[in-house]
Amino acid sequence: MTVTTVRRILCVAGARPNYMKIKPVMDALEAQGAEVILVHTGQHYDPAMNDVFFRDLGLRPPDHFLGVGSGSHAVQTGRVMAAFEPLVEQLAPDVVVVVGDVNSTLACALVAAKGGPLLAHVEAGLRSRDWSMPEEVNRVATDRISDYLLAPSPDAADNLRAEGYRDDQIHVVGNVMIDTLFANLERAKESRTLAELGLEAGEYGLVTLHRPANVDDPAILSGLLKALGEVATHCPLVLPVHPRAADRINALGVPGGIRLVPPAGYLDFIALQAGARIVLTDSGGVQEETTALGVPCVTLRDNTERPITVEQGTNVLAGRDPARIVDTAVRLLGDPPPPRRPELWDGHAGERIARVLLEGGSAAERARPTDHPRPTDHPRPTDHH
Ligand code: UD1
Ligand code: UDP
C-alpha cells in the first residue's frame, strides 16, 4: 500500500500484558511507513514485570518514560494523565494507540480524546459484564471515546454494535497476543526453564493468580489455594507469583504439590504454558494463549470477557468455588478438550491494524465519534449486570 503522508503514531504500553500486544502493532506500522513513538507509563516497573519483556520480545527501549509507578486507581490514572498530556501536546501525533484494559490504557485514552489525535483501541469490544472488575470500567470507557475500535474477534464487534457504535468505527482485526505468541514460539521452545525447575513436559500444571477479586481477600485466596492443593494431588503445580499476590500467598502458605516461583519472563512463561498438562488462571491473556496452544485451561473466574476461548477454544470457566474448581480440573485432566483456534488468530492482526490506521482518508478521519450523536442505547452500569 502507499502512504501519502508519513503518519506519526504514538503507541502506549505500561503493564505486563501490554508489551506483547503493542509489539506487533509497532512492527507493522513501521513496516508500512509510519513514524512510531513508544511511550511507557511505568505502571509496572519490577525487572520481572517489565525489563524482561523488552529483552524477550525485542521491544526497543521506550522513547518516553512517564515513571508513574503504583498507586490507587485514581492516583495511578491521574499521574499517567498528567504526565501524558504535555507529551501529546509536544509530539502532536496523528494517532494514539492504546491496548488492552489496564489503568494506563484508559488514562492515555482520556488525554488523547480531549487532545488533537485520533484514538485507536486495540482489543476493543471485550466485555465481562462484571462491573466490579476495574478492567471492565477501563474497557467500556476507552471504547466510548475511541475513533478506531480494533476488535480481536466477531463477538467483540457484536458487543460494540449492540452498544450503538457505528460500523465504520469497528474493525475485526484478529488477536495481537497471538501474533506475538506465534512469532516467539520457536524461541520459547529453546527456554531452559522446564529443565531448571525439574519439570517434564506434560507432567505438571501451571497456575497464575492476580485478579483483585481472587487475591485481595485472604478468605477467597485461601479457598483457591486449598482447591489448588487438591488439584496438585492429581498433577503437581507450578505458580509464578504476581507481585500483587506475593505477600498474601506467602502469609497463607501453600499446600504441598504447589511450587511457588517468581514471575516468569515471556519466553519462559510460553514454554511453561506449552509444556503444561493443564493451566489454571485468572489472567485474560493466558486464556487466549492456552486456546492458541491447545492446552486445557481452567479459568478461576465466574465470567470472561473472552467467551470465544470457551466457545472455540480450550477454556472452561470454573468460578471460585473450591469444589467446582477441583471437579473441573480433574475432568479436564481425564478428558482434555480438543484444540481449536478462532478465526483471525493467525499471526497477522498487527498488519491488519496498521492497514486500518494508515489507509488515507479512513472513515474514522472523516467522522470522529464526537461528530456524530453519541449512542443513546449504551447500557448503563446498572443495566449491565
Ligand atoms: C494490572 C492491571 C490488570 C492486569 C495486570 C497484569 C489495572 C487496573 N490492572 O493489575 O488489568 O491484568 O496489571 O499483570 O490496571 N507491583 C509491584 N511491581 C510492579 C508492579 C506492581 O510490586 O512492577 C505491585 C504493587 O504493590 C502494586 C500492585 O502490584 O500496588 C498492583 O499493581 P497495579 O499495576 O496497580 O495492578 P495489577 O494488579 O498489577
Ligand atoms: N506472563 C508472563 N509471565 C508470567 C505470567 C504471565 O510472561 O509469570 C504473560 C502471559 O504469557 C501473557 C501475559 O503475561 O502474555 C498476560 O499478562 P497478565 O496475566 O499479567 O495480565 P492479563 O492478561 O490478565 O491482563
Side-chain angles (χ1 to χ4, degrees):
M1 74 175 299
T2 43
V3 180
T4 42
T5 51
V6 174
R7 302 198 91 195
R8 174 175 283 189
I9 304 204
L10 215 153
C11 291
V12 175
R16 179 165 74 185
N18 292 165
Y19 310 125
M20 53 293 285
K21 294 175 192 173
I22 206 70
K23 170 75 163 117
V25 179
M26 290 176 60
D27 285 351
L29 284 168
E30 281 176 344
Q32 293 182 33
E35 177 194 356
V36 175
I37 299 171
L38 176 61
V39 178
H40 188 321
T41 67
Q43 175 171 346
H44 284 177
Y45 43 84
D46 285 349
M49 297 295 288
N50 181 59
D51 307 38
V52 66
F53 294 95
F54 282 78
R55 279 200 304 279
D56 279 5
L57 298 171
L59 198 51
R60 66 160 193 258
D63 301 295
H64 299 272
F65 183 67
L66 308 182
V68 301
S70 300
S72 69
H73 288 289
V75 166
Q76 192 172 58
T77 308
R79 274 199 211 131
V80 175
M81 289 180 72
F84 191 58
E85 188 176 53
L87 199 58
V88 171
E89 278 170 21
Q90 178 203 329
L91 298 171
D94 297 297
V95 182
V96 169
V97 179
V98 295
V99 296
D101 52 23
V102 301
N103 284 345
S104 300
T105 310
L106 175 60
C108 293
L110 283 167
V111 169
K114 291 180 182 173
L118 294 165
L119 175 63
H121 184 203
V122 174
E123 222 177 61
L126 297 186
R127 296 289 183 266
S128 66
R129 300 186 166 75
D130 175 357
W131 283 98
S132 70
M133 286 181 82
E135 294 83 0
E136 183 74 353
V137 178
N138 291 345
R139 288 179 202 118
V140 172
T142 301
D143 284 344
R144 194 71 175 79
I145 52 179
S146 290
D147 299 280
Y148 299 96
L149 297 161
L150 302 159
S153 46
D155 57 299
D158 290 345
N159 289 334
L160 293 167
R161 279 189 211 101
E163 290 176 19
Y165 292 94
R166 301 189 316 268
D167 275 341
D168 64 317
Q169 287 178 275
I170 304 169
H171 308 269
V172 182
V173 290
N175 191 323
V176 285
M177 290 284 277
I178 307 308
D179 286 15
T180 298
L181 175 67
F182 289 166
N184 290 286
L185 200 48
E186 286 309 310
R187 289 172 64 226
K189 284 183 186 155
E190 288 162 22
S191 159
R192 296 187 34 77
T193 195
L194 266 71
E196 282 163 8
L197 294 171
L199 299 169
E200 292 288 339
E203 293 187 5
Y204 66 92
L206 177 66
V207 182
T208 76
L209 282 176
H210 73 276
R211 295 256 97 82
N214 282 348
V215 303
D216 286 4
D217 178 345
I220 305 249
L221 180 60
S222 155
L224 292 174
L225 292 173
K226 229 174 103 200
L228 293 172
E230 183 68 32
V231 175
T233 64
H234 300 266
C235 175
L237 299 177
V238 57
L239 195 177
V241 183
H242 189 288
R244 181 184 195 100
D247 288 349
R248 288 208 178 83
I249 290 179
N250 286 327
L252 289 166
V254 291
I258 305 176
R259 176 140 173 219
L260 302 183
V261 297
Y266 182 75
L267 294 173
D268 288 347
F269 194 77
I270 296 300
L272 284 168
Q273 283 188 85
R277 194 172 155 207
I278 191 166
V279 173
L280 300 104
T281 190
D282 58 12
S283 161
V286 173
Q287 293 173 58
E288 298 180 331
E289 288 166 347
T290 46
T291 276
L293 291 167
V295 174
C297 178
V298 177
T299 291
L300 308 172
R301 291 173 45 189
D302 294 316
N303 50 61
T304 178
E305 60 289 332
R306 293 158 163 95
I308 197 165
T309 60
V310 176
E311 287 147 20
Q312 296 180 31
T314 54
N315 190 16
V316 178
L317 288 185
R320 294 181 295 161
D321 172 59
R324 192 169 149 216
I325 292 168
V326 176
D327 284 353
T328 309
V330 170
R331 177 165 60 83
L332 291 202
L333 283 168
D335 185 16
R340 298 171 293 181
R341 186 178 304 147
E343 211 186 327
L344 295 185
W345 291 24
D346 58 359
H348 299 289
E351 292 154 34
R352 289 186 202 100
I353 289 170
R355 276 202 293 276
V356 169
L357 299 187
L358 297 179
E359 263 166 17
S362 74
E365 269 180 295
R366 292 194 305 273
R368 297 191 56 146
T370 42
D371 299 335
H372 278 240
R374 293 283 179 171
T376 49
D377 58 345
H378 187 278
R380 292 178 67 88
T382 42
D383 303 331
H384 204 39
H385 274 288

PDB file of all heavy atoms in Angstrom, residues 357-378:
ATOM      1  N   LEU A 357      -5.092   1.844  10.221  1.00  0.00           N
ATOM      2  CA  LEU A 357      -4.656   3.150  10.726  1.00  0.00           C
ATOM      3  C   LEU A 357      -3.976   3.995   9.654  1.00  0.00           C
ATOM      4  O   LEU A 357      -3.951   5.224   9.767  1.00  0.00           O
ATOM      5  CB  LEU A 357      -3.706   2.975  11.919  1.00  0.00           C
ATOM      6  CG  LEU A 357      -4.275   2.256  13.144  1.00  0.00           C
ATOM      7  CD1 LEU A 357      -3.282   2.307  14.313  1.00  0.00           C
ATOM      8  CD2 LEU A 357      -5.602   2.846  13.579  1.00  0.00           C
ATOM      9  N   LEU A 358      -3.406   3.336   8.651  1.00  0.00           N
ATOM     10  CA  LEU A 358      -2.629   4.096   7.669  1.00  0.00           C
ATOM     11  C   LEU A 358      -3.365   4.352   6.362  1.00  0.00           C
ATOM     12  O   LEU A 358      -2.881   5.100   5.509  1.00  0.00           O
ATOM     13  CB  LEU A 358      -1.304   3.382   7.374  1.00  0.00           C
ATOM     14  CG  LEU A 358      -0.386   3.259   8.595  1.00  0.00           C
ATOM     15  CD1 LEU A 358       0.896   2.526   8.234  1.00  0.00           C
ATOM     16  CD2 LEU A 358      -0.053   4.622   9.175  1.00  0.00           C
ATOM     17  N   GLU A 359      -4.539   3.722   6.203  1.00  0.00           N
ATOM     18  CA  GLU A 359      -5.287   3.976   4.971  1.00  0.00           C
ATOM     19  C   GLU A 359      -5.673   5.436   4.922  1.00  0.00           C
ATOM     20  O   GLU A 359      -6.290   5.947   5.859  1.00  0.00           O
ATOM     21  CB  GLU A 359      -6.552   3.113   4.932  1.00  0.00           C
ATOM     22  CG  GLU A 359      -6.347   1.858   4.120  1.00  0.00           C
ATOM     23  CD  GLU A 359      -7.444   0.840   4.352  1.00  0.00           C
ATOM     24  OE1 GLU A 359      -8.508   1.222   4.879  1.00  0.00           O
ATOM     25  OE2 GLU A 359      -7.206  -0.333   4.026  1.00  0.00           O
ATOM     26  N   GLY A 360      -5.282   6.105   3.847  1.00  0.00           N
ATOM     27  CA  GLY A 360      -5.601   7.530   3.718  1.00  0.00           C
ATOM     28  C   GLY A 360      -7.107   7.753   3.701  1.00  0.00           C
ATOM     29  O   GLY A 360      -7.861   6.940   3.181  1.00  0.00           O
ATOM     30  N   GLY A 361      -7.518   8.832   4.310  1.00  0.00           N
ATOM     31  CA  GLY A 361      -8.933   9.198   4.287  1.00  0.00           C
ATOM     32  C   GLY A 361      -9.830   8.156   4.899  1.00  0.00           C
ATOM     33  O   GLY A 361     -10.893   7.857   4.354  1.00  0.00           O
ATOM     34  N   SER A 362      -9.375   7.535   5.983  1.00  0.00           N
ATOM     35  CA  SER A 362     -10.178   6.467   6.583  1.00  0.00           C
ATOM     36  C   SER A 362     -11.483   7.033   7.133  1.00  0.00           C
ATOM     37  O   SER A 362     -11.633   8.235   7.352  1.00  0.00           O
ATOM     38  CB  SER A 362      -9.407   5.816   7.714  1.00  0.00           C
ATOM     39  OG  SER A 362      -9.396   6.687   8.813  1.00  0.00           O
ATOM     40  N   ALA A 363     -12.411   6.126   7.355  1.00  0.00           N
ATOM     41  CA  ALA A 363     -13.721   6.522   7.866  1.00  0.00           C
ATOM     42  C   ALA A 363     -13.584   7.287   9.176  1.00  0.00           C
ATOM     43  O   ALA A 363     -14.269   8.284   9.396  1.00  0.00           O
ATOM     44  CB  ALA A 363     -14.568   5.280   8.068  1.00  0.00           C
ATOM     45  N   ALA A 364     -12.658   6.843  10.010  1.00  0.00           N
ATOM     46  CA  ALA A 364     -12.553   7.489  11.318  1.00  0.00           C
ATOM     47  C   ALA A 364     -12.105   8.941  11.180  1.00  0.00           C
ATOM     48  O   ALA A 364     -12.493   9.800  11.959  1.00  0.00           O
ATOM     49  CB  ALA A 364     -11.571   6.716  12.189  1.00  0.00           C
ATOM     50  N   GLU A 365     -11.304   9.215  10.144  1.00  0.00           N
ATOM     51  CA  GLU A 365     -10.859  10.605   9.964  1.00  0.00           C
ATOM     52  C   GLU A 365     -12.012  11.498   9.536  1.00  0.00           C
ATOM     53  O   GLU A 365     -12.096  12.649   9.908  1.00  0.00           O
ATOM     54  CB  GLU A 365      -9.767  10.666   8.899  1.00  0.00           C
ATOM     55  CG  GLU A 365      -8.384  10.519   9.479  1.00  0.00           C
ATOM     56  CD  GLU A 365      -7.357  10.599   8.381  1.00  0.00           C
ATOM     57  OE1 GLU A 365      -7.356   9.703   7.516  1.00  0.00           O
ATOM     58  OE2 GLU A 365      -6.573  11.553   8.387  1.00  0.00           O
ATOM     59  N   ARG A 366     -12.883  10.908   8.686  1.00  0.00           N
ATOM     60  CA  ARG A 366     -13.987  11.725   8.182  1.00  0.00           C
ATOM     61  C   ARG A 366     -15.059  11.931   9.246  1.00  0.00           C
ATOM     62  O   ARG A 366     -15.714  12.945   9.270  1.00  0.00           O
ATOM     63  CB  ARG A 366     -14.606  11.047   6.953  1.00  0.00           C
ATOM     64  CG  ARG A 366     -13.674  11.028   5.756  1.00  0.00           C
ATOM     65  CD  ARG A 366     -14.436  10.680   4.494  1.00  0.00           C
ATOM     66  NE  ARG A 366     -15.165   9.421   4.611  1.00  0.00           N
ATOM     67  CZ  ARG A 366     -14.618   8.244   4.342  1.00  0.00           C
ATOM     68  NH1 ARG A 366     -13.369   8.148   3.972  1.00  0.00           N
ATOM     69  NH2 ARG A 366     -15.327   7.153   4.448  1.00  0.00           N
ATOM     70  N   ALA A 367     -15.225  10.946  10.090  1.00  0.00           N
ATOM     71  CA  ALA A 367     -16.324  11.030  11.052  1.00  0.00           C
ATOM     72  C   ALA A 367     -15.856  10.571  12.420  1.00  0.00           C
ATOM     73  O   ALA A 367     -15.853   9.396  12.721  1.00  0.00           O
ATOM     74  CB  ALA A 367     -17.477  10.150  10.573  1.00  0.00           C
ATOM     75  N   ARG A 368     -15.394  11.478  13.200  1.00  0.00           N
ATOM     76  CA  ARG A 368     -14.994  11.131  14.566  1.00  0.00           C
ATOM     77  C   ARG A 368     -16.242  10.839  15.376  1.00  0.00           C
ATOM     78  O   ARG A 368     -17.313  11.361  15.077  1.00  0.00           O
ATOM     79  CB  ARG A 368     -14.250  12.296  15.198  1.00  0.00           C
ATOM     80  CG  ARG A 368     -12.970  12.622  14.479  1.00  0.00           C
ATOM     81  CD  ARG A 368     -12.171  13.583  15.302  1.00  0.00           C
ATOM     82  NE  ARG A 368     -11.945  13.036  16.621  1.00  0.00           N
ATOM     83  CZ  ARG A 368     -10.838  13.243  17.329  1.00  0.00           C
ATOM     84  NH1 ARG A 368      -9.877  13.969  16.848  1.00  0.00           N
ATOM     85  NH2 ARG A 368     -10.699  12.730  18.514  1.00  0.00           N
ATOM     86  N   PRO A 369     -16.107  10.042  16.431  1.00  0.00           N
ATOM     87  CA  PRO A 369     -17.282   9.766  17.262  1.00  0.00           C
ATOM     88  C   PRO A 369     -17.961  11.053  17.713  1.00  0.00           C
ATOM     89  O   PRO A 369     -19.168  11.150  17.776  1.00  0.00           O
ATOM     90  CB  PRO A 369     -16.707   9.015  18.455  1.00  0.00           C
ATOM     91  CG  PRO A 369     -15.430   8.429  17.974  1.00  0.00           C
ATOM     92  CD  PRO A 369     -14.916   9.346  16.898  1.00  0.00           C
ATOM     93  N   THR A 370     -17.143  12.084  17.982  1.00  0.00           N
ATOM     94  CA  THR A 370     -17.715  13.325  18.505  1.00  0.00           C
ATOM     95  C   THR A 370     -18.495  14.101  17.449  1.00  0.00           C
ATOM     96  O   THR A 370     -19.240  15.012  17.782  1.00  0.00           O
ATOM     97  CB  THR A 370     -16.578  14.222  19.032  1.00  0.00           C
ATOM     98  OG1 THR A 370     -15.510  14.166  18.116  1.00  0.00           O
ATOM     99  CG2 THR A 370     -16.114  13.767  20.398  1.00  0.00           C
ATOM    100  N   ASP A 371     -18.291  13.754  16.153  1.00  0.00           N
ATOM    101  CA  ASP A 371     -19.050  14.447  15.123  1.00  0.00           C
ATOM    102  C   ASP A 371     -20.463  13.885  15.002  1.00  0.00           C
ATOM    103  O   ASP A 371     -21.283  14.400  14.270  1.00  0.00           O
ATOM    104  CB  ASP A 371     -18.374  14.285  13.750  1.00  0.00           C
ATOM    105  CG  ASP A 371     -16.978  14.875  13.763  1.00  0.00           C
ATOM    106  OD1 ASP A 371     -16.747  15.769  14.581  1.00  0.00           O
ATOM    107  OD2 ASP A 371     -16.143  14.422  12.976  1.00  0.00           O
ATOM    108  N   HIS A 372     -20.678  12.765  15.627  1.00  0.00           N
ATOM    109  CA  HIS A 372     -21.967  12.089  15.494  1.00  0.00           C
ATOM    110  C   HIS A 372     -22.689  12.103  16.827  1.00  0.00           C
ATOM    111  O   HIS A 372     -22.057  12.165  17.870  1.00  0.00           O
ATOM    112  CB  HIS A 372     -21.727  10.616  15.102  1.00  0.00           C
ATOM    113  CG  HIS A 372     -21.486  10.456  13.647  1.00  0.00           C
ATOM    114  ND1 HIS A 372     -22.270   9.697  12.841  1.00  0.00           N
ATOM    115  CD2 HIS A 372     -20.535  10.990  12.845  1.00  0.00           C
ATOM    116  CE1 HIS A 372     -21.819   9.755  11.600  1.00  0.00           C
ATOM    117  NE2 HIS A 372     -20.764  10.524  11.581  1.00  0.00           N
ATOM    118  N   PRO A 373     -23.995  11.967  16.788  1.00  0.00           N
ATOM    119  CA  PRO A 373     -24.693  11.831  18.066  1.00  0.00           C
ATOM    120  C   PRO A 373     -24.151  10.613  18.798  1.00  0.00           C
ATOM    121  O   PRO A 373     -23.897   9.573  18.181  1.00  0.00           O
ATOM    122  CB  PRO A 373     -26.157  11.590  17.662  1.00  0.00           C
ATOM    123  CG  PRO A 373     -26.252  11.860  16.217  1.00  0.00           C
ATOM    124  CD  PRO A 373     -24.876  11.838  15.625  1.00  0.00           C
ATOM    125  N   ARG A 374     -23.924  10.730  20.092  1.00  0.00           N
ATOM    126  CA  ARG A 374     -23.456   9.580  20.859  1.00  0.00           C
ATOM    127  C   ARG A 374     -24.550   8.517  20.912  1.00  0.00           C
ATOM    128  O   ARG A 374     -25.728   8.852  20.920  1.00  0.00           O
ATOM    129  CB  ARG A 374     -23.128  10.031  22.283  1.00  0.00           C
ATOM    130  CG  ARG A 374     -21.943  10.959  22.341  1.00  0.00           C
ATOM    131  CD  ARG A 374     -20.672  10.167  22.199  1.00  0.00           C
ATOM    132  NE  ARG A 374     -19.525  11.051  22.240  1.00  0.00           N
ATOM    133  CZ  ARG A 374     -18.279  10.607  22.311  1.00  0.00           C
ATOM    134  NH1 ARG A 374     -18.021   9.334  22.325  1.00  0.00           N
ATOM    135  NH2 ARG A 374     -17.284  11.450  22.347  1.00  0.00           N
ATOM    136  N   PRO A 375     -24.152   7.242  20.961  1.00  0.00           N
ATOM    137  CA  PRO A 375     -25.177   6.206  21.081  1.00  0.00           C
ATOM    138  C   PRO A 375     -26.032   6.472  22.326  1.00  0.00           C
ATOM    139  O   PRO A 375     -25.516   6.869  23.353  1.00  0.00           O
ATOM    140  CB  PRO A 375     -24.365   4.927  21.267  1.00  0.00           C
ATOM    141  CG  PRO A 375     -22.998   5.247  20.795  1.00  0.00           C
ATOM    142  CD  PRO A 375     -22.799   6.715  20.963  1.00  0.00           C
ATOM    143  N   THR A 376     -27.321   6.272  22.157  1.00  0.00           N
ATOM    144  CA  THR A 376     -28.202   6.535  23.305  1.00  0.00           C
ATOM    145  C   THR A 376     -28.595   5.243  24.000  1.00  0.00           C
ATOM    146  O   THR A 376     -29.120   5.260  25.098  1.00  0.00           O
ATOM    147  CB  THR A 376     -29.493   7.233  22.845  1.00  0.00           C
ATOM    148  OG1 THR A 376     -29.999   6.490  21.740  1.00  0.00           O
ATOM    149  CG2 THR A 376     -29.233   8.665  22.436  1.00  0.00           C
ATOM    150  N   ASP A 377     -28.349   4.118  23.322  1.00  0.00           N
ATOM    151  CA  ASP A 377     -28.792   2.863  23.930  1.00  0.00           C
ATOM    152  C   ASP A 377     -27.644   2.119  24.609  1.00  0.00           C
ATOM    153  O   ASP A 377     -27.668   0.920  24.761  1.00  0.00           O
ATOM    154  CB  ASP A 377     -29.434   1.962  22.876  1.00  0.00           C
ATOM    155  CG  ASP A 377     -28.477   1.670  21.746  1.00  0.00           C
ATOM    156  OD1 ASP A 377     -27.446   2.381  21.653  1.00  0.00           O
ATOM    157  OD2 ASP A 377     -28.739   0.753  20.966  1.00  0.00           O
ATOM    158  N   HIS A 378     -26.600   2.834  24.961  1.00  0.00           N
ATOM    159  CA  HIS A 378     -25.482   2.204  25.658  1.00  0.00           C
ATOM    160  C   HIS A 378     -25.942   1.746  27.037  1.00  0.00           C
ATOM    161  O   HIS A 378     -26.482   2.533  27.793  1.00  0.00           O
ATOM    162  CB  HIS A 378     -24.368   3.235  25.804  1.00  0.00           C
ATOM    163  CG  HIS A 378     -23.117   2.640  26.354  1.00  0.00           C
ATOM    164  ND1 HIS A 378     -22.936   2.431  27.682  1.00  0.00           N
ATOM    165  CD2 HIS A 378     -22.012   2.208  25.740  1.00  0.00           C
ATOM    166  CE1 HIS A 378     -21.748   1.897  27.863  1.00  0.00           C
ATOM    167  NE2 HIS A 378     -21.171   1.753  26.697  1.00  0.00           N
TER     168      HIS A 378
END
